[in-house]
Amino acid sequence: AVEGEPTLDMVQAAVDTAQQEQVEVVIGIGGGSAMDVGKAAATLCTQEGKVAEYHRGRSLSGPGLPYTSVPTTAGTGSEVTNNAVLTDLERGIKKSIRGAHLFAAVALVDPLLTVSLPPEATASSGADALCQGIESFVGIGAQPPSDGLAGQAIRLIGRSLVRAYEQGSDIDARSDMLYGSLLAGMAMTNTRLGGAHGVASPLGLGYHIPHGIVCGLLLPHVMEYSLEHGLDKYAEVARLLNVDTQGMSSREAAQQAVVAVRRILDTIGMPSHLSGFGVKRGDLAQIIDQALPSANLKNNPRPLGAEDLQVILG
């Protein structure tokens, strides 16, 4: 019953079913949307009140039911994160329910479950995973332990995303992608993300752009705008993407990271302009206003305000 990105109504229906049937375990199997509905339902079916109350800020009073996550896409890392991104259609708001109680008790991560994923879904989810790895790695909240997780995620995804897109039955590429997505999910749980994710929610909600596509579209633009505030980190991203940076300055190597990311995203068919989704220049002020509360903008290596977003989106 999970169609598209998860809504409060989907979670409430799952909670109601779990309570009526007195279930003992909840399993979320599928992409990030299915897993987010599963973890939210498992957590909230033991709480008093409605799902909407917790989306609006009510605190969780304790643990939920045991929850098992089983990803069938290599993208969101939701199997190991402590949040569920849900949309309140009535208020037009997309945000997370977050807390330690939302972690899965068990994550079953098997690349064989991703082999049948169509190329378009492989591209969209893979672009999200690449974006999460890079934004976790370069963000202000990055730490040496998270760098290990995010750096390995970038390396695995960078070498295998195109191959998984072009040869879906390649189990080695699928393994790299799913393991990379898992590591990126672990990293971002400890660091938060950056500018691309900060703007993704209002664009996804207002223009029905799939989350992975909007992240992939924005990523190189945010990287380019932020380079001077993280030259060494972006230079390392280039090396993780197998760019030979020998003899280059940090600035030159950092610029090659943007080139490498653009090349990967172009190869897997990511769009490069928002106009193709009906976004008009006159819409930008409202999009920016809706994005500004996101903590991800503050975690970007170059913290982003309204004027910065105007440049990136313009």
Side-chain angles (χ1 to χ4, degrees):
V2 179
E3 298 179 357
E5 297 196 9
T7 66
L8 300 189
D9 290 341
M10 290 180 195
V11 176
Q12 189 64 62
V15 167
D16 292 344
T17 299
Q19 291 174 338
Q20 291 163 9
E21 300 294 334
Q22 297 183 319
V23 303
E24 297 177 352
V25 176
V26 176
I27 301 172
I29 179 167
S33 295
M35 289 189 287
D36 277 5
V37 170
K39 71 172 73 170
T43 304
L44 297 178
C45 71
T46 62
Q47 311 291 313
E48 296 181 352
K50 297 294 185 180
V51 171
E53 297 173 37
Y54 296 91
H55 197 246
R56 295 174 185 179
R58 182 173 176 176
S59 298
L60 298 170
S61 61
L65 294 176
Y67 168 65
T68 296
S69 58
V70 188
T72 61
T73 68
T76 65
S78 179
E79 65 272 17
V80 290
T81 61
N82 65 338
N83 67 299
V85 184
L86 308 176
T87 298
D88 183 338
L89 294 175
E90 183 180 333
R91 296 192 299 153
I93 293 175
K94 179 180 178 181
K95 68 174 189 176
S96 294
I97 295 176
R98 184 181 301 271
H101 294 310
L102 276 85
F103 279 119
V106 175
L108 298 177
V109 184
D110 184 348
L112 289 174
L113 297 177
T114 68
V115 168
S116 62
L117 198 65
E120 295 78 10
T122 299
S124 176
S125 56
D128 187 21
L130 179 62
C131 186
Q132 288 173 171
I134 291 174
E135 292 198 322
S136 298
F137 188 75
V138 302
I140 289 172
Q143 313 143 43
S146 66
D147 282 353
L149 297 167
Q152 179 74 334
I154 295 166
R155 188 177 73 84
L156 294 173
I157 296 166
R159 78 182 186 187
S160 291
L161 176 50
V162 170
R163 197 150 43 103
Y165 172 75
E166 294 178 342
Q167 304 171 42
S169 61
D170 187 326
I171 194 63
D172 289 333
R174 292 294 193 182
S175 296
D176 276 358
M177 288 303 302
L178 194 55
Y179 187 34
S181 171
L182 172 78
L183 295 175
M186 294 169 70
M188 72 178 182
T189 298
N190 291 281
T191 65
R192 289 196 178 269
L193 294 165
H197 276 84
V199 185
S201 289
L203 284 170
L205 181 60
Y207 299 89
H208 306 291
I209 311 173
H211 177 73
I213 289 178
V214 71
C215 287
L217 190 159
L218 291 171
L219 176 60
H221 298 282
V222 173
M223 289 175 66
E224 194 163 43
Y225 189 76
S226 306
L227 279 187
E228 294 295 330
H229 292 250
L231 287 176
D232 290 341
K233 273 298 188 71
Y234 283 116
E236 184 60 26
V237 169
R239 288 186 280 273
L240 289 165
L241 293 175
N242 204 32
V243 176
D244 182 1
T245 62
Q246 187 171 0
M248 294 183 186
S249 67
S250 291
R251 180 173 287 100
E252 290 168 335
Q255 289 169 340
Q256 286 305 306
V258 181
V259 172
V261 167
R262 280 207 169 102
R263 185 183 301 119
I264 291 170
L265 296 175
D266 287 346
T267 303
I268 64 173
M270 281 293 106
S272 56
H273 299 287
L274 289 170
S275 58
F277 297 96
V279 181
K280 299 178 176 60
R281 189 169 296 277
D283 301 340
L284 296 184
Q286 182 177 1
I287 293 168
I288 290 169
D289 283 345
Q290 293 171 341
L292 285 176
S294 172
N296 289 324
L297 298 181
K298 300 176 182 64
N299 189 57
N300 200 68
R302 178 178 184 171
L304 302 175
E307 294 181 0
D308 303 298
L309 295 183
Q310 184 70 46
V311 173
I312 292 170
L313 295 174

